[in-house]
């Protein structure tokens, strides 16, 4: 698994690629928590994920809970078929704010913030 | 070219003993993905079965041995006339009954692995004997599965 962090205005974008399993999830969790501390909005790019197991899903859930605690926005985008199936199997799909593209993810919540 | 033997007539049996090390997750993942594809499951089903088995293995690594590297896990696969059966055995801590009974509607960060195993496999049996803690996962071959309809699990 490879992780990289980008910034777009006030948003941190986390690109995750490769296989997300027990080997990499402590690192993923740490990065997500740091990003949430630093920025009001964190966007996760799932496009490059080849495989994700329940430890990866658990890391995303923990980050989601942390985002609620810190009152941050947490948006996922680029969910491919394989990732989608794992979300479906774990029944966590409805918990997250999920959009298709990075553009949508960056725009997501802007109207909510104004509302 | 030789006509392929129907999946239900194929025989496969193997036992692999491995160290309690997360690096073996990838090795086992590729093995199971390839085996389930050969036995006739489609890509989506194959991925789900692989995930369920990886969850069983992850449980052994994290919970039975609590990441202790000296632990050993025995991973057995065998085909039966109508099913593929996996048995994973460890000599660590027995599984926590509360985790085994994890409820689907209890959406906490954790317990997903157990739910995935139950949702994907046709049978999941836990047993503790003198040889260790076993989890036995059975998946009926595609044409025998009552649950599989139109390729969905």
């Amino acid at each position: 698994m490879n992780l990289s962090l980008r910034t777009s205005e006030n948003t941190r974008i986390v690109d995750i690629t490769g296989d997300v399993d027990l080997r990499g999830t402590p690192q993923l969790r740490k990065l997500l928590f740091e990003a949430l501390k630093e920025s009001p909005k964190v966007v996760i790019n799932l496009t490059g994920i080849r495989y994700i197991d329940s430890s990866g899903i658990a890391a995303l859930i923990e980050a989601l809970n942390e985002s609620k605690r810190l009152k941050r926005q947490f948006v996922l985008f680029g969910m491919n078929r394989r990732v989608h199936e794992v979300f479906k199997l774990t029944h966590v799909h409805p918990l997250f704010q999920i959009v298709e593209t990075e553009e949508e993810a960056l725009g997501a919540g802007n109207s909510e913030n104004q509302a | 070219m030789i006509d392929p033997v129907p999946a239900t007539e194929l025989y496969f049996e193997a036992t692999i003993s491995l160290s309690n090390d997360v690096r073996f997750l990838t090795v086992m993942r590729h093995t199971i993905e390839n085996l389930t594809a050969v036995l006739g499951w489609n890509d989506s089903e194959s991925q789900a079965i692989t995930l369920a088995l990886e969850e069983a293995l992850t449980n052994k690594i994290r919970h039975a041995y609590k990441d202790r590297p000296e632990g050993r896990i025995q991973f057995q696969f065998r085909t039966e006339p109508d099913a593929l059966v996996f048995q994973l055995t460890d000599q660590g801590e027995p599984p926590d009954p509360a985790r085994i009974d994890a409820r689907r509607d209890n959406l906490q960060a954790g317990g997903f692995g157990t739910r995935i195993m139950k949702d994907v496999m046709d049978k999941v049996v836990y047993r503790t004997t003198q040889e260790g803690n076993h989890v036995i996962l059975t998946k009926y071959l595609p044409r025998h599965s009552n649950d599989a309809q139109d390729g969905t699990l």
Side-chain angles (χ1 to χ4, degrees), chain B residues 137-151:
Chain B
L137 303 105
T138 302
K139 183 73 183 172
Y140 295 118
L141 292 174
R143 77 171 189 185
H144 291 271
S145 175
N146 293 326
D147 299 330
Q149 291 176 357
D150 302 323

Side-chain angles (χ1 to χ4, degrees), chain A residues 52-114:
Chain A
I52 185 166
D53 72 2
S54 74
S55 70
I57 299 289
L60 292 176
I61 293 274
E62 285 177 70
L64 175 71
N65 291 340
E66 181 70 359
S67 73
K68 287 177 182 165
R69 194 181 72 80
L70 297 173
K71 298 188 171 28
R72 307 298 205 220
Q73 247 199 298
F74 190 71
V75 185
L76 311 182
F77 78 92
M79 187 176 284
N80 60 45
R81 187 182 59 80
R82 291 196 144 215
V83 175
H84 177 75
E85 292 200 359
V86 179
F87 270 66
K88 215 169 66 179
L89 278 168
T90 46
H91 310 281
V92 297
H93 203 282
L95 300 180
F96 291 97
Q97 184 178 2
I98 303 169
V99 296
E100 285 189 20
T101 65
E102 180 169 328
E103 198 177 24
E104 286 174 83
L106 292 173
N110 292 344
S111 54
E112 281 175 27
N113 288 341
Q114 288 158 12

Side-chain angles (χ1 to χ4, degrees), chain B residues 3-12 38-39 79-82 141 143-144:
Chain B
D3 287 337
V5 174
T8 49
E9 292 174 23
L10 290 172
Y11 177 77
F12 185 94
V38 167
L39 291 176
T79 49
E80 292 192 346
D82 62 347
L141 292 174
R143 77 171 189 185
H144 291 271

Side-chain angles (χ1 to χ4, degrees), chain A residues 19 21 54 81 85 91, chain B residues 26 29 43-44 54-55 119:
Chain A
D19 293 2
D21 64 17
S54 74
R81 187 182 59 80
E85 292 200 359
H91 310 281
Chain B
T26 314
R29 183 183 309 151
D43 186 46
S44 164
E54 183 164 320
E55 298 301 338
D119 284 353

Side-chain angles (χ1 to χ4, degrees), chain A residues 37-55:
Chain A
K37 238 185 249 171
E38 293 163 0
S39 174
K41 182 172 177 180
V42 174
V43 162
I44 315 294
N45 178 6
L46 308 171
T47 316
I49 295 181
R50 200 168 41 191
Y51 180 89
I52 185 166
D53 72 2
S54 74
S55 70

